[in-house]
Amino acid sequence: MHILQLCPRVPYPPHDGGAIAMYDVAAGLARAGHRVTVLALNTPKHHQLTTVLDHLGPNVSLVTVDVDTRLSPVKALRNLLFSHLPYNVERFVSEEVKAKLVELLAQEQFDVVQMEGTFVAWYARYWAGGAQRGQHVPPVILRAHNLEYTIWEQLARNAGNPLKKWYLRQLAARLKQFENWMLCRFDAIAAITETDQQRLSALGAHPAIEFIPAGVDLSRFQPDPAIRPKPRTLFMLGSLNWLPNLEGLDWFLREVWPEARRRYPELELHLAGKDTPERIRQLQVPGVTVHGFVESAAQFMQTYDLMLVPLLSGGGMRIKIIEGMALGKCILSTRLGAEGIHVRSGHDIVLADSPAEWLDCLGRYYRGELGPAAIGQEAARTAARLYDNRRVVERFLDLYSSVQGRAATEGRTPAEPLTSGLRP
């Protein structure tokens, strides 16, 4: 097959969950012998050369369009007053990207187009125009990394500042309206968790909603027997430019760490992640070490012992948890943090929500009662059984064949469901 993958950013380097999910699918398809053309918005935050995917071989080609997605208070206010689009989506709207999409579809014969997430779902508008002009357009699939509106609803609930709470609610409401409107414009939707599959169905989305989890290239996460984790150490690893990660870290430092440090004075906490805010870099908290960006997530995870995921908001799947599981790490997470991952507390993960529950788990770990090695071994087995990227790629290929077959059986142009109800 020849797949066109439309991405809201260049999916390289694979350092965060979104990039990993997009990169591993492209790489897996290429390894399975399929061609992938990656059309990516080249944003200031993640700007890359067009050669960064060359290592994947001749089956993968990268096409980029520069798009300025930087946040602007003036543009956000103008959006709030004059636009029907949520600001999160409007930042990714570009006529240049649409023109490049049209050009690629005219030049190449694609079997399927896969759009990666809500931020590029706007470009499905092309399918209506293409069908009306009598052009052949391939089936288009939305890979729903999460439902964005649920993240912003949770952030709004947790916000203390009344003005911030009001704005986040407005943003969440617009996102819900946009996602409800856009989801039925696709031939199929691939939900990254079963919970999101249910949420999508509740929105009244297209009936062809498949559950396809994110996978991990297990070859990148093989334990190094030469690395022994330092005892009585905790670590957190994740992009700190993503608000839910920052919110969870602030909660842990405020509600859990002071009492944990008092009760268990030998505990150390190690923090790492790209785009670490200056206020986190400058933390002067006893027992806390801020590493900032680390080149090797696998090495960092193996250097320290108990992995923490204190998420209070979010959606989709935490790929960093899958990576940690593949490395045999014992992970302490909120239930929301582990949402969509088939794990069982006390077996292949440890789940806790309240500060008191977290302190109890940390106490058991400190006293040697938690059994992190055994839990980590079970986690590695679960990752290998359920989240090997090769199996994920096979499920995508089945979905591609299904939408092609359905279009052929119904004797229609795949774009026909996309032609009604569209607004500019």
Side-chain angles (χ1 to χ4, degrees):
M1 288 189 180
H2 189 184
I3 298 97
L4 175 60
Q5 184 185 27
L6 179 57
C7 302
R9 52 165 290 192
V10 177
Y12 195 84
H15 285 154
D16 59 75
I20 293 165
M22 295 183 287
Y23 174 85
D24 279 348
V25 165
L29 287 167
R31 277 195 292 270
H34 304 278
R35 292 176 60 201
V36 183
T37 296
V38 179
L39 172 58
L41 283 65
N42 216 354
T43 65
K45 183 185 288 187
H46 303 108
H47 205 273
Q48 297 289 338
L49 298 174
T50 56
T51 56
V52 293
L53 297 183
D54 286 0
H55 62 280
L56 294 178
N59 279 357
V60 177
S61 58
L62 172 63
V63 179
T64 65
V65 180
D66 286 351
V67 180
D68 188 353
T69 58
R70 288 174 293 189
L71 294 167
S72 164
V74 173
K75 291 180 180 178
L77 178 60
R78 188 165 62 236
N79 168 272
L80 190 63
L81 295 174
F82 303 114
S83 176
H84 69 275
L85 280 176
Y87 182 52
N88 318 51
V89 174
E90 188 178 75
R91 290 165 49 217
F92 292 82
V93 170
S94 164
E95 288 298 327
E96 289 77 13
V97 174
K98 184 178 176 183
K100 182 58 70 174
L101 175 62
V102 170
E103 178 186 321
L104 286 170
L105 289 168
Q107 291 175 346
E108 300 277 356
Q109 187 74 24
F110 294 103
D111 295 290
V112 70
V113 177
Q114 179 163 307
M115 295 190 176
E116 298 281 351
T118 298
F119 297 145
V120 292
W122 180 87
Y123 294 97
R125 295 168 74 250
Y126 167 76
W127 266 247
Q132 289 165 357
R133 292 189 297 271
Q135 298 174 351
H136 170 76
V137 288
V140 57
I141 292 170
L142 175 69
R143 188 187 192 193
H145 289 233
N146 48 52
L147 264 74
E148 286 293 325
Y149 85 87
T150 63
I151 298 174
W152 295 91
E153 282 183 343
Q154 292 158 358
L155 288 169
R157 281 196 296 269
N158 298 335
N161 182 295
L163 184 60
K164 182 178 181 181
K165 183 184 288 286
W166 175 84
Y167 179 72
L168 292 176
R169 281 176 175 168
Q170 296 298 313
L171 202 54
R174 286 185 172 210
L175 276 164
K176 186 174 185 178
Q177 183 182 37
F178 175 79
E179 289 182 314
N180 186 32
W181 177 70
M182 285 302 303
L183 290 173
C184 62
R185 313 302 178 201
F186 295 88
D187 289 279
I189 299 166
I192 212 164
T193 69
E194 289 168 305
T195 303
D196 280 350
Q197 183 184 30
Q198 295 165 5
R199 289 172 179 152
L200 288 162
S201 296
L203 276 178
H206 194 287
I209 307 171
E210 300 288 336
F211 160 55
I212 303 180
V216 171
D217 180 356
L218 297 180
S219 66
R220 293 206 309 266
F221 290 90
Q222 294 297 314
D224 184 346
I227 302 177
R228 295 298 180 99
K230 186 177 181 181
R232 291 184 169 177
T233 56
L234 320 173
F235 72 90
M236 293 173 60
L237 176 65
S239 299
L240 292 176
N241 58 9
W242 193 50
L243 284 179
N245 280 346
L246 197 56
E247 177 193 44
L249 171 58
D250 285 336
W251 173 83
F252 181 82
L253 291 174
R254 182 180 65 251
E255 302 293 338
V256 179
W257 182 249
E259 183 63 18
R261 179 70 174 176
R262 187 188 69 80
R263 295 186 192 180
Y264 319 119
E266 293 179 25
L267 278 184
E268 297 178 9
L269 173 61
H270 295 264
L271 307 175
K274 70 173 190 176
D275 298 326
T276 303
E278 190 62 25
R279 68 177 179 85
I280 302 296
R281 288 182 177 275
Q282 298 302 323
L283 274 180
Q284 299 294 323
V285 178
V288 177
T289 302
V290 181
H291 297 261
F293 174 75
V294 292
E295 196 64 43
S296 171
Q299 184 174 4
F300 180 82
M301 288 179 177
Q302 292 176 90
T303 301
Y304 305 105
D305 204 14
L306 183 66
M307 180 175 174
L308 307 182
V309 185
L311 274 188
L312 310 177
S313 308
M317 181 182 288
R318 305 280 76 74
I319 294 181
K320 278 288 182 287
I321 289 183
I322 304 298
E323 293 179 343
M325 291 170 62
L327 287 168
K329 303 304 297 185
C330 180
I331 300 166
L332 170 57
S333 172
T334 58
R335 286 170 177 81
L336 179 66
E339 185 178 272
I341 303 174
H342 285 267
V343 286
R344 180 159 48 93
S345 189
H347 175 68
D348 46 12
I349 200 169
V350 180
L351 300 178
D353 286 324
S354 69
E357 289 175 326
W358 274 68
L359 285 167
D360 176 68
C361 292
L362 293 176
R364 288 191 287 131
Y365 167 69
Y366 191 79
R367 295 187 295 270
E369 301 167 0
L370 192 64
I375 291 174
Q377 288 172 1
E378 289 298 332
R381 295 188 186 101
T382 299
R385 186 176 72 255
L386 300 179
Y387 300 109
D388 185 333
N389 191 57
R390 292 173 297 181
R391 294 188 175 89
V392 171
V393 168
E394 289 172 359
R395 293 176 71 169
F396 271 112
L397 290 168
D398 289 342
L399 179 59
Y400 301 160
S401 297
S402 173
V403 294
Q404 287 183 311
R406 190 163 60 246
T409 300
E410 295 173 4
R412 61 170 178 83
T413 300
E416 284 179 0
L418 314 177
T419 60
S420 62
L422 290 174
R423 293 187 296 167

